[in-house]
Amino acid sequence: MFGTVRYFTDFLKAQIMYNFSGEKMISLSENHARLNKEINVKAKNSKEKVEYLLNLEKAYGIINKEMFGLKEELTV
């Protein structure tokens, strides 16, 4: 479901995997920005927008930790 941490985590992972087989590579930060823009369009109100943005940041932190082994916790 759009807006959940799971949705954003799965989306970012899928895009990373696509980079291995696709012709054009898209960076993690570009995908983050793309999702940020999509949130601005899809959120019905400001409360929902904030919730989605927080969930995106959590997912982005999870992916960074899994990929790059960040030791410090990313807080949102």
Side-chain angles (χ1 to χ4, degrees):
M1 179 163 134
F2 182 83
T4 63
V5 174
R6 173 86 185 235
Y7 174 88
F8 293 132
T9 303
D10 289 347
F11 179 89
L12 292 170
K13 285 181 179 180
Q15 293 302 307
I16 291 166
M17 293 305 294
Y18 175 76
N19 281 341
F20 290 114
S21 62
E23 293 178 14
K24 180 183 175 198
M25 292 187 68
I26 302 170
S27 71
L28 185 58
S29 60
E30 287 175 305
N31 279 309
H32 180 270
R34 175 180 166 191
L35 286 170
N36 204 330
K37 288 178 185 176
E38 192 173 345
I39 288 169
N40 287 324
V41 171
K42 288 189 174 183
K44 296 175 183 147
N45 55 51
S46 60
K47 181 181 176 188
E48 189 174 73
K49 181 179 176 181
V50 169
E51 181 183 338
Y52 290 174
L53 289 171
L54 289 174
N55 287 344
L56 174 58
E57 292 309 312
K58 287 177 188 175
Y60 190 71
I62 289 167
I63 298 298
N64 271 300
K65 188 173 183 178
E66 287 180 2
M67 288 183 61
F68 306 113
L70 296 177
K71 295 184 182 190
E72 71 275 359
E73 287 294 318
L74 298 173
T75 56
V76 178

